[in-house]
Structure formats: C-alpha cells, structure tokens
Amino acid sequence: MDENNLLTDLLKIYLAQTASALKISEIISEHGGEKGISPDSFVTGLIYRLMVSMDEEEMKDSLQFADDVLTKETSSEEEEEEEEEEEDYDIIDETYNMIEPEDGDKIILSRNISKNTCNCDICAKARACLINYSTFEVNDELAQKFKESINHTLIIHKLNI
C-alpha cells in the first residue's frame, strides 16, 4: 500500500471517529438542556466514541462524511491554487489584544466535566464511560492516538473527569 494512501485512510478514520463523537456530543448537549455543543459535552462525546464501538450504520455514515470532507477539501485546494495564481493578496498583520482579568473575576485553575442527568441509553453510557475512562485500555494504535488527544485536551483545558 502506498504511504500516501495509508495516511489518507488513517486521516479518514480519525475524521470519521471525530464526526461520530460530534453527533454523540450534540445529543448529550440537547439532553442536558444546552444550546449548542458545550466543551464538556464535546469531550464526553469523544470519550464515548473511544469506548463504545459504532454500529454498522454509524460507521457507514461517519466514513461517508469523512470521505465527503476529504474529497471537498481536495477540490477546494485545487480551486484555491488556481485563484492564487490569478489574484494578488495584500498581507495584513493581525494583532490580538490580551484581556486581563479584572478584580473580582474568577480564574479557574481546573474544574470537573459537567454531566447531564438524562437516563437515555446514550447519556447513561456516556456517564459510565466518564467513570471508567481512567482505567480504559485501548486495543490498537489508532485508538491510543485518539485517547492521547483526549488526554491532551483535558490537560490543556484543565478539565477533570
């Protein structure tokens, strides 16, 4: 197998896994009464998708979504290259203002991920996944990468399970 095809296939699988996690995150957020996907629901969805296998239909849908994204991205890149050849761009330096905390503002050092109380199958499994995440052992290298990404996100955003 060509190394480029292997990389594309791995990217496709990782994207499909993440897309499926987003669907789970959306359900968890809705059942928790949130508008949109909260960071806590997103992380919970990622953990759920790592620990709970997709059924055949979910797998087909997620892989199709990933394939569509990758196909669209390739087409967009080709179109952008053609446009770049035709247009000149002005380079604009971006500046960012840092917002300093005001007196009385709380600085959160770390916090626990919030969990909803819905008892549907997905929400109940998601809570169980959060409880068992620290002892969960992955069974392949790709799942290990996915778990490492989750762990990195937890550390960066100072979230505790």
Side-chain angles (χ1 to χ4, degrees):
M1 180 181 248
D2 185 279
E3 187 174 315
N4 198 21
N5 287 341
L6 177 62
L7 183 60
T8 301
D9 287 346
L10 287 173
L11 181 60
K12 184 177 176 181
I13 292 166
Y14 200 84
L15 183 59
Q17 187 90 348
T18 304
S20 179
L22 275 171
K23 288 180 184 178
I24 298 297
S25 300
E26 186 174 28
I27 292 167
I28 292 168
S29 287
E30 285 175 5
H31 291 195
E34 301 168 349
K35 293 182 180 178
I37 297 174
S38 71
D40 293 5
S41 295
F42 180 62
V43 171
T44 303
L46 291 171
I47 291 170
Y48 178 98
R49 188 68 305 150
L50 173 69
M51 296 175 69
V52 178
S53 298
M54 286 187 241
D55 65 28
E56 191 173 329
E57 188 65 29
E58 287 174 313
M59 197 175 304
K60 268 193 227 177
D61 291 346
S62 297
L63 285 171
Q64 183 60 52
F65 172 80
D67 195 40
D68 292 347
V69 168
L70 292 174
T71 302
K72 183 179 179 184
E73 184 176 301
T74 304
S75 300
S76 297
E77 286 175 3
E78 291 170 1
E79 291 170 10
E80 286 176 15
E81 286 175 10
E82 290 173 8
E83 289 175 10
E84 285 177 13
E85 292 173 5
E86 297 172 7
E87 298 178 14
D88 290 332
Y89 291 97
D90 293 332
I91 298 175
I92 300 171
D93 290 331
E94 294 184 24
T95 57
Y96 300 94
N97 295 327
M98 297 299 291
I99 300 173
E100 296 293 327
E102 296 179 15
D103 291 338
D105 283 348
K106 289 183 181 179
I107 298 175
I108 299 173
L109 299 178
S110 69
R111 65 177 181 79
N112 292 331
I113 288 180
S114 64
K115 302 162 191 80
N116 71 29
T117 57
C118 174
N119 286 321
C120 77
D121 188 45
I122 289 176
C123 293
K125 280 183 185 177
R127 284 192 303 278
C129 288
L130 289 172
I131 291 167
N132 296 309
Y133 179 70
S134 63
T135 59
F136 180 71
E137 293 187 24
V138 296
N139 55 6
D140 62 60
E141 193 172 325
L142 189 59
Q144 181 62 39
K145 293 289 184 194
F146 203 74
K147 186 173 183 181
E148 288 170 4
S149 296
I150 294 168
N151 290 341
H152 186 69
T153 300
L154 291 169
I155 289 167
I156 285 186
H157 295 285
K158 297 179 175 121
L159 297 171
N160 303 316
I161 297 178

